[in-house]
Amino acid sequence: MFPVEIKDKIYWVGAVDWNIRDFHGYSTYKGTTYNAYLIVDEKITLVDTVKNPFKKELINNISQIVDPGKIDYLIVNHVEMDHAGSVREMVDLIQPEKIFCSAMGQKTMLAYNFPADYPYEVVKTGQSLSLGKKSVQFIETRMLHWPDSMFTYVPEDRLLISSDAFGEHWATSERFDDEVDRAELMAHAAKYYANILLLYSPLVQKLLADVQKLNLAIDMIAPDHGLIWRGNPGAILEAYDRWSRQVTGTKAVIIYDTMWHSTEQMALAIADGLIRENISTKIFNLRVTHRSEIMTEVLDARAIICGSSTLNNNMLPKMADILTYMKGLKPVNRIGAAFGSYGWSGEAVGHINQYLEEMKFTLATPGLKIQYGPSEADLQKCQDLGRQIGQMIKGPVK
Ligand code: FEO
């Protein structure tokens, strides 16, 4: 790739990772990007670096604009290794006068064994730094995505460099949101939110309020992953507001694993009942669907219905995987239901219910179990459960 000027004398100098398919458990089936930005002013400033294997691309991009040795300042918005993974090499190369980071950023860098004698300069929300004609303001965004995270805002250019927030894992040759398919872009952004930020939704709400209070004029948002929002940055801000309020629709997600297709038959019969109630219904067999794709659909689903056969007095392992993952991401205000077939003990439904209760879902049923294979009457009970959940979905959100 080559550097791209995103604002006057501000450049994207990051890297595109076309081949990554697993980002610590998130399926990045279309790759990702590690965005870094170079501000060329009296004080030349690099904002963030890239994952370590991509450092040559970063250096090559910077070198097409300035000699990296001429960089004065390094801003570390976030210490996770997909952004700080090349800091050591970049510090050796550029010998920055100062490294700006949050207090937690410095603490985290030291815990990652970065040298204590780096020229750290700890900054706080509201603090400003003149670079010459331009300046930068820092906004701490604790837990978005780590305790150390912060944004860097360039008021002269109405540019918000937003670290992990507002990003997508999507490798593209294009750099701007208005150059790609809008629907696909928003789908990647939703997946990113559902799998990375959903649990921090209360903090996202606070951040959006803080940004409003700070009265920042923003006409471009440049995240550290994916596309830069220049066409209509309000669209992603509105989406984050909706997602962080956990607004759901008339939609149900059925997730199941099955040994000999009995639980699968139950899943399909429940879906039949939901669809008869005009509920948009998505059905996922855990054997063929990645957890991060399911979580994306959970983002705006009102009901989460989970089915598993009983194996060794427990649920099937893939059901434990998705429930553990989902619980960590903290979806709230959902309707839940558990179902499954069993042979002689039938503990799976009870174990699923424990997860649903821990997530404070409203249970539509104490659990629907059938022994061995479902009869016509059993399938009717499943369809009835689907219809009942459909009615609940259409009812008031408690
Ligand atoms: Fe893209 Fe939290 O790192």
Side-chain angles (χ1 to χ4, degrees):
M1 289 297 297
F2 48 85
V4 175
E5 191 169 26
I6 64 166
K7 285 277 189 181
D8 181 41
K9 295 193 166 42
I10 301 180
Y11 301 85
W12 174 91
V13 288
V16 181
D17 186 347
W18 295 98
N19 298 322
I20 187 169
R21 290 294 177 267
D22 185 306
F23 195 100
H24 55 51
Y26 176 128
S27 147
T28 44
Y29 72 104
K30 286 196 172 178
T32 193
T33 73
Y34 312 110
N35 299 338
Y37 300 96
L38 186 73
I39 304 172
V40 178
D41 205 337
E42 285 160 34
K43 290 291 186 186
I44 301 174
T45 303
L46 177 63
V47 184
D48 296 317
T49 71
V50 296
K51 193 173 169 181
N52 191 273
F54 295 87
K55 57 184 177 284
K56 280 189 185 156
E57 290 184 47
L58 173 67
I59 294 166
N60 181 45
N61 282 338
I62 294 169
S63 303
Q64 292 177 57
I65 305 161
V66 293
D67 172 356
K70 295 213 160 101
I71 293 174
D72 300 285
Y73 295 155
L74 172 62
I75 296 173
V76 178
N77 274 335
H78 181 23
V79 186
E80 192 166 4
M81 285 299 123
D82 47 334
H83 309 295
S86 305
V87 161
R88 276 188 182 79
E89 289 84 352
M90 293 311 293
V91 170
D92 288 348
L93 180 67
I94 67 188
Q95 300 287 313
E97 193 181 317
K98 288 180 179 170
I99 299 173
F100 296 92
C101 58
S102 66
M104 285 306 294
Q106 184 186 25
K107 203 170 164 187
T108 310
M109 287 179 77
L110 294 174
Y112 263 119
N113 307 305
F114 284 93
D117 61 356
Y118 272 5
Y120 298 105
E121 183 93 7
V122 167
V123 291
K124 291 181 180 165
T125 292
Q127 212 169 320
S128 237
L129 170 72
S130 173
L131 304 181
K133 292 189 181 66
K134 297 177 192 286
S135 61
V136 289
Q137 289 176 13
F138 301 102
I139 304 162
E140 290 167 272
T141 58
R142 202 177 166 89
M143 299 319 299
L144 301 173
H145 166 230
W146 278 10
D148 55 272
S149 296
M150 64 178 194
F151 290 174
T152 297
Y153 176 62
V154 186
E156 294 78 7
D157 293 291
R158 299 174 169 229
L159 167 66
L160 183 68
I161 299 175
S162 63
S163 188
D164 274 337
F166 312 119
E168 316 87 43
H169 285 309
W170 187 17
T172 55
S173 55
E174 297 80 4
R175 299 275 66 83
F176 296 100
D177 64 322
D178 54 7
E179 298 173 321
V180 298
D181 179 81
R182 194 80 186 170
E184 185 169 8
L185 172 65
M186 291 312 291
H188 284 293
K191 179 177 177 183
Y192 185 97
Y193 190 90
N195 286 277
I196 296 176
L197 297 175
L198 184 63
L199 74 162
Y200 302 122
S201 287
L203 292 171
V204 173
Q205 277 290 301
K206 186 179 173 302
L207 173 72
L208 293 174
D210 288 349
V211 166
Q212 225 164 22
K213 263 189 241 156
L214 289 167
N215 213 12
L216 303 183
I218 298 170
D219 67 17
M220 182 180 284
I221 298 176
D224 275 4
H225 297 290
L227 283 302
I228 296 164
W229 302 88
R230 71 171 172 189
N232 177 10
I236 189 65
L237 291 168
E238 280 159 24
Y240 266 52
D241 178 46
R242 189 172 65 255
W243 294 332
S244 59
R245 283 186 291 111
Q246 300 223 25
V247 175
T248 53
T250 48
K251 174 177 166 185
V253 167
I254 300 176
I255 307 162
Y256 72 94
D257 194 0
T258 189
M259 285 168 68
W260 295 105
H261 302 291
S262 297
T263 301
E264 183 170 61
Q265 287 180 63
M266 294 177 77
L268 295 173
I270 293 167
D272 190 66
L274 285 159
I275 295 163
R276 285 172 193 275
E277 291 291 331
N278 294 317
I279 304 299
S280 175
T281 303
K282 301 273 174 89
I283 310 173
F284 296 106
N285 180 337
L286 286 161
R287 300 289 176 97
V288 295
T289 315
H290 194 273
R291 67 173 84 83
S292 53
E293 303 302 333
I294 296 173
M295 203 55 221
T296 309
E297 296 293 343
V298 166
L299 181 63
D300 63 351
R302 179 90 180 89
I304 316 298
I305 305 159
C306 301
S308 171
S309 329
T310 293
L311 174 74
N312 303 332
N313 309 109
N314 214 318
M315 65 184 106
L316 289 165
K318 283 184 183 293
M319 181 54 70
D321 176 288
I322 185 69
L323 287 170
T324 303
Y325 186 67
M326 192 189 302
K327 190 177 130 191
L329 287 163
K330 294 189 168 62
V332 298
N333 299 329
R334 303 310 206 269
I335 296 161
F339 65 96
S341 72
Y342 68 101
W344 52 96
S345 57
E347 291 91 341
V349 163
H351 288 150
I352 294 171
N353 269 340
Q354 276 178 21
Y355 276 92
L356 302 179
E357 282 165 358
E358 283 167 16
M359 288 189 276
K360 299 189 167 49
F361 289 5
T362 302
L363 294 191
T365 167
L368 183 53
K369 294 188 207 179
I370 61 104
Q371 194 169 23
Y372 293 111
S375 64
E376 283 304 313
D378 291 328
L379 291 175
Q380 186 59 52
K381 278 187 204 161
C382 293
Q383 193 192 102
D384 292 346
L385 176 62
R387 292 199 86 132
Q388 179 203 330
I389 296 171
Q391 293 288 336
M392 290 174 75
I393 290 171
K394 289 187 278 190
V397 177
K398 286 177 194 154

